[in-house]
């Protein structure tokens, strides 16, 4: 509390016995030795520190417990040379916020989820400030701060919910991609209110690769792409999920959720192989196109000794 004394009052030292402190209607007494603090709280120490206006009063209080959530006035009063000095400051009691639900609670490395939009998670918060816009939050995925240095993630929806007589806050958040599988800590905090910070783990995983299609052509269009406008180099439509018994030709395999390291332009002949049965192996030709979510690779099909 600034400016309580003039420099001439330096020898007027208050004590926990003489200082009056109250939280609303609850008067706080002094702490007694090593005894556990009472539920009503207690004054631990009283001191002074210099400031530009004179001397500040520094009071250390163990906060009393309260069953009521909301604002109240804290009153501090003392008599200095026969003159009563009093200050009132606002004080807020609140319930610690909780994460009531996270759905879904996992995502692929590219940020895909099982939500209807395929890219977000829904978080339901209890006893959280009733904010209404995405700009009032700070969202972090481990060391990634959404919307600041990383635009790939952030809040897409904010709304209040009524459930079982409780008022909850619902957020929908778009997820950033990750480079490695594992759990990350997600942090949600209202701007300027760190006491309402909530955290929860989110699991990133590498889904199993899935072959979406395999198409065979006797000849390709060229180096750019084997299949163009749905046609092979000879103008014929490619065979889907089939290879002639004699073998030969080229096969284009499209893989969703490719293994780590299998991305367009990085494959070598030793990294990728295609087995036809148990004894015939196609040789890698090139990567046709690719991303972190899907790749297409081309193979040279060897002549087959017998139908497969």
């Amino acid at each position: 509390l600034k400016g309580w004394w003039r420099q001439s009052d330096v020898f007027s030292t208050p004590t926990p016995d003489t200082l009056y402190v109250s939280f609303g209607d609850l008067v706080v007494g002094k702490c007694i030795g090593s005894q556990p603090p009472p539920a009503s709280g207690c004054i631990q120490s009283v001191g002074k520190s210099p400031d530009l206006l004179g001397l500040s009063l520094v009071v250390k209080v163990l906060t009393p417990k309260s069953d009521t959530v909301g604002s109240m006035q804290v009153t501090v009063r003392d008599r200095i040379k026969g003159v009563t000095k009093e200050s009132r400051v606002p004080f807020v009691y609140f319930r610690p916020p909780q994460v009531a639900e996270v759905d879904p609670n996992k995502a692929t490395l590219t940020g895909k989820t099982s939500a209807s939009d395929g890219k977000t998670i829904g978080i339901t918060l209890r006893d959280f400030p009733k904010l209404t816009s995405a700009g009032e939050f700070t969202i972090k995925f481990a060391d990634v701060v959404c919307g600041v240095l990383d635009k790939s993630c952030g809040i897409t929806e904010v709304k209040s919910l009524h459930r079982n007589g409780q008022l909850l806050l619902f957020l929908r958040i778009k997820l950033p991609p990750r480079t490695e599988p594992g759990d990350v800590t997600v942090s949600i905090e209202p701007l300027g209110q760190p006491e309402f910070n909530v955290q929860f783990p989110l699991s990133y995983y590498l889904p199993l690769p899935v072959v979406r299609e395999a198409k065979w052509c006797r000849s390709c269009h060229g180096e750019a792409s084997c299949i163009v406008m749905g046609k092979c180099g000879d103008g014929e439509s490619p065979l889907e999920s089939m290879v002639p018994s004699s073998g030969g030709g080229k096969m284009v395999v499209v893989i969703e959720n490719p293994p780590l390291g299998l991305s367009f332009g990085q494959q070598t002949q030793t990294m990728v192989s295609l087995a036809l049965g148990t004894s015939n192996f196609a040789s890698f030709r090139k990567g046709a196109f690719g991303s972190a979510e899907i790749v297409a690779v081309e193979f040279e099909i060897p002549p087959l000794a017998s139908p497969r």
Side-chain angles (χ1 to χ4, degrees), residues 248-275:
K250 313 289 189 297
M251 177 169 280
V252 180
V253 180
V254 177
I255 306 169
E256 188 175 338
N257 305 323
L260 290 176
L262 181 61
S263 58
F264 178 60
Q266 296 181 354
Q267 305 95 326
T268 66
Q269 192 168 1
T270 59
M271 289 175 62
V272 187
S273 64
L274 175 66

Short mmCIF file of all heavy atoms in Angstrom, two decimals, residues 248-275:
data_model
loop_
_atom_site.label_atom_id
_atom_site.label_comp_id
_atom_site.label_asym_id
_atom_site.label_seq_id
_atom_site.Cartn_x
_atom_site.Cartn_y
_atom_site.Cartn_z
N GLY A 248 5.87 -56.99 -66.25
CA GLY A 248 6.33 -55.86 -67.04
C GLY A 248 5.51 -54.61 -66.77
O GLY A 248 4.55 -54.62 -66.00
N GLY A 249 5.88 -53.52 -67.41
CA GLY A 249 5.16 -52.28 -67.26
C GLY A 249 5.49 -51.53 -65.97
O GLY A 249 6.49 -51.80 -65.30
N LYS A 250 4.62 -50.58 -65.64
CA LYS A 250 4.82 -49.72 -64.46
C LYS A 250 3.59 -49.77 -63.56
O LYS A 250 2.47 -49.94 -64.05
CB LYS A 250 5.07 -48.26 -64.88
CG LYS A 250 6.07 -48.07 -66.01
CD LYS A 250 7.47 -48.36 -65.57
CE LYS A 250 8.48 -47.96 -66.64
NZ LYS A 250 8.33 -48.72 -67.92
N MET A 251 3.82 -49.60 -62.26
CA MET A 251 2.70 -49.53 -61.31
C MET A 251 2.83 -48.27 -60.46
O MET A 251 3.92 -47.97 -59.97
CB MET A 251 2.64 -50.75 -60.41
CG MET A 251 1.54 -50.66 -59.36
SD MET A 251 1.24 -52.20 -58.48
CE MET A 251 0.23 -53.06 -59.68
N VAL A 252 1.72 -47.53 -60.32
CA VAL A 252 1.67 -46.35 -59.47
C VAL A 252 0.88 -46.71 -58.21
O VAL A 252 -0.28 -47.13 -58.29
CB VAL A 252 1.00 -45.17 -60.19
CG1 VAL A 252 0.96 -43.94 -59.26
CG2 VAL A 252 1.73 -44.83 -61.48
N VAL A 253 1.52 -46.56 -57.04
CA VAL A 253 0.90 -46.90 -55.77
C VAL A 253 0.73 -45.62 -54.96
O VAL A 253 1.70 -44.88 -54.73
CB VAL A 253 1.75 -47.92 -54.98
CG1 VAL A 253 1.07 -48.25 -53.65
CG2 VAL A 253 1.97 -49.18 -55.80
N VAL A 254 -0.52 -45.34 -54.55
CA VAL A 254 -0.82 -44.15 -53.75
C VAL A 254 -0.98 -44.59 -52.29
O VAL A 254 -1.80 -45.47 -52.00
CB VAL A 254 -2.09 -43.44 -54.23
CG1 VAL A 254 -2.42 -42.25 -53.34
CG2 VAL A 254 -1.92 -42.99 -55.68
N ILE A 255 -0.18 -43.99 -51.39
CA ILE A 255 -0.16 -44.39 -49.99
C ILE A 255 -0.59 -43.21 -49.12
O ILE A 255 0.02 -42.14 -49.16
CB ILE A 255 1.25 -44.85 -49.56
CG1 ILE A 255 1.75 -45.95 -50.48
CG2 ILE A 255 1.25 -45.30 -48.10
CD1 ILE A 255 3.21 -46.27 -50.28
N GLU A 256 -1.64 -43.43 -48.33
CA GLU A 256 -2.07 -42.42 -47.35
C GLU A 256 -1.38 -42.72 -46.02
O GLU A 256 -1.12 -43.87 -45.68
CB GLU A 256 -3.59 -42.47 -47.17
CG GLU A 256 -4.15 -41.35 -46.32
CD GLU A 256 -5.65 -41.36 -46.26
OE1 GLU A 256 -6.29 -41.93 -47.15
OE2 GLU A 256 -6.20 -40.79 -45.29
N ASN A 257 -1.05 -41.67 -45.27
CA ASN A 257 -0.30 -41.79 -44.02
C ASN A 257 1.03 -42.50 -44.26
O ASN A 257 1.32 -43.54 -43.65
CB ASN A 257 -1.10 -42.56 -42.95
CG ASN A 257 -2.45 -41.96 -42.68
OD1 ASN A 257 -2.63 -40.75 -42.68
ND2 ASN A 257 -3.44 -42.82 -42.46
N PRO A 258 1.86 -41.98 -45.15
CA PRO A 258 3.13 -42.65 -45.45
C PRO A 258 4.04 -42.71 -44.23
O PRO A 258 3.95 -41.86 -43.34
CB PRO A 258 3.74 -41.78 -46.55
CG PRO A 258 3.15 -40.42 -46.32
CD PRO A 258 1.75 -40.68 -45.84
N PRO A 259 4.91 -43.70 -44.16
CA PRO A 259 5.86 -43.78 -43.05
C PRO A 259 6.75 -42.54 -42.99
O PRO A 259 6.96 -41.87 -44.01
CB PRO A 259 6.68 -45.03 -43.35
CG PRO A 259 5.84 -45.82 -44.30
CD PRO A 259 5.07 -44.82 -45.09
N LEU A 260 7.25 -42.23 -41.80
CA LEU A 260 8.16 -41.10 -41.66
C LEU A 260 9.36 -41.28 -42.60
O LEU A 260 9.92 -42.36 -42.69
CB LEU A 260 8.65 -40.98 -40.22
CG LEU A 260 7.62 -40.53 -39.18
CD1 LEU A 260 8.24 -40.55 -37.79
CD2 LEU A 260 7.11 -39.13 -39.51
N GLY A 261 9.73 -40.21 -43.26
CA GLY A 261 10.88 -40.28 -44.17
C GLY A 261 10.50 -40.59 -45.59
O GLY A 261 11.30 -40.39 -46.50
N LEU A 262 9.25 -41.07 -45.83
CA LEU A 262 8.82 -41.36 -47.19
C LEU A 262 8.03 -40.18 -47.72
O LEU A 262 6.84 -40.06 -47.54
CB LEU A 262 7.95 -42.61 -47.21
CG LEU A 262 7.45 -43.06 -48.60
CD1 LEU A 262 8.62 -43.39 -49.50
CD2 LEU A 262 6.53 -44.27 -48.46
N SER A 263 8.75 -39.25 -48.31
CA SER A 263 8.10 -38.06 -48.86
C SER A 263 8.66 -37.78 -50.24
O SER A 263 9.76 -38.21 -50.59
CB SER A 263 8.31 -36.83 -47.95
OG SER A 263 9.68 -36.58 -47.77
N PHE A 264 7.91 -37.07 -51.04
CA PHE A 264 8.26 -36.85 -52.44
C PHE A 264 9.64 -36.23 -52.58
O PHE A 264 9.98 -35.26 -51.92
CB PHE A 264 7.22 -35.93 -53.08
CG PHE A 264 7.51 -35.61 -54.52
CD1 PHE A 264 7.58 -36.62 -55.45
CD2 PHE A 264 7.70 -34.31 -54.92
CE1 PHE A 264 7.83 -36.33 -56.78
CE2 PHE A 264 7.94 -34.00 -56.24
CZ PHE A 264 8.00 -35.02 -57.18
N GLY A 265 10.43 -36.83 -53.46
CA GLY A 265 11.75 -36.27 -53.76
C GLY A 265 12.85 -36.77 -52.86
O GLY A 265 14.00 -36.44 -53.07
N GLN A 266 12.52 -37.59 -51.84
CA GLN A 266 13.55 -38.04 -50.90
C GLN A 266 13.84 -39.53 -51.00
O GLN A 266 14.75 -40.03 -50.38
CB GLN A 266 13.13 -37.71 -49.46
CG GLN A 266 13.02 -36.23 -49.19
CD GLN A 266 12.62 -35.96 -47.75
OE1 GLN A 266 12.32 -36.88 -47.00
NE2 GLN A 266 12.63 -34.70 -47.36
N GLN A 267 13.03 -40.28 -51.77
CA GLN A 267 13.20 -41.72 -51.82
C GLN A 267 14.45 -42.09 -52.64
O GLN A 267 14.85 -41.40 -53.56
CB GLN A 267 11.98 -42.40 -52.44
CG GLN A 267 10.68 -42.04 -51.75
CD GLN A 267 9.98 -40.89 -52.44
OE1 GLN A 267 10.62 -40.00 -52.98
NE2 GLN A 267 8.68 -40.92 -52.43
N THR A 268 15.01 -43.20 -52.27
CA THR A 268 16.06 -43.81 -53.08
C THR A 268 15.64 -45.24 -53.36
O THR A 268 14.71 -45.77 -52.75
CB THR A 268 17.41 -43.81 -52.34
OG1 THR A 268 17.31 -44.67 -51.21
CG2 THR A 268 17.81 -42.42 -51.90
N GLN A 269 16.31 -45.88 -54.28
CA GLN A 269 15.92 -47.23 -54.68
C GLN A 269 15.99 -48.20 -53.51
O GLN A 269 15.24 -49.18 -53.45
CB GLN A 269 16.83 -47.70 -55.81
CG GLN A 269 16.34 -48.96 -56.51
CD GLN A 269 17.09 -49.23 -57.79
OE1 GLN A 269 17.99 -48.49 -58.15
NE2 GLN A 269 16.72 -50.29 -58.49
N THR A 270 16.87 -47.95 -52.55
CA THR A 270 17.00 -48.88 -51.42
C THR A 270 15.98 -48.60 -50.33
O THR A 270 15.79 -49.43 -49.44
CB THR A 270 18.41 -48.77 -50.83
OG1 THR A 270 18.63 -47.42 -50.40
CG2 THR A 270 19.45 -49.16 -51.85
N MET A 271 15.31 -47.45 -50.36
CA MET A 271 14.37 -47.10 -49.31
C MET A 271 12.99 -47.70 -49.54
O MET A 271 12.24 -47.94 -48.61
CB MET A 271 14.22 -45.58 -49.19
CG MET A 271 15.41 -44.87 -48.61
SD MET A 271 15.18 -43.08 -48.64
CE MET A 271 13.75 -42.87 -47.61
N VAL A 272 12.59 -47.92 -50.82
CA VAL A 272 11.24 -48.31 -51.15
C VAL A 272 11.27 -49.57 -52.01
O VAL A 272 12.04 -49.67 -52.96
CB VAL A 272 10.51 -47.19 -51.93
CG1 VAL A 272 9.04 -47.54 -52.11
CG2 VAL A 272 10.66 -45.86 -51.22
N SER A 273 10.43 -50.54 -51.66
CA SER A 273 10.32 -51.74 -52.47
C SER A 273 8.88 -52.17 -52.54
O SER A 273 8.05 -51.82 -51.69
CB SER A 273 11.18 -52.87 -51.89
OG SER A 273 10.71 -53.24 -50.60
N LEU A 274 8.54 -52.95 -53.55
CA LEU A 274 7.20 -53.46 -53.75
C LEU A 274 7.29 -54.96 -54.01
O LEU A 274 7.95 -55.39 -54.96
CB LEU A 274 6.51 -52.76 -54.93
CG LEU A 274 5.13 -53.28 -55.32
CD1 LEU A 274 4.12 -53.00 -54.21
CD2 LEU A 274 4.66 -52.64 -56.63
N ALA A 275 6.65 -55.75 -53.16
CA ALA A 275 6.68 -57.20 -53.31
C ALA A 275 5.46 -57.67 -54.09
O ALA A 275 4.33 -57.26 -53.81
CB ALA A 275 6.72 -57.87 -51.94
#
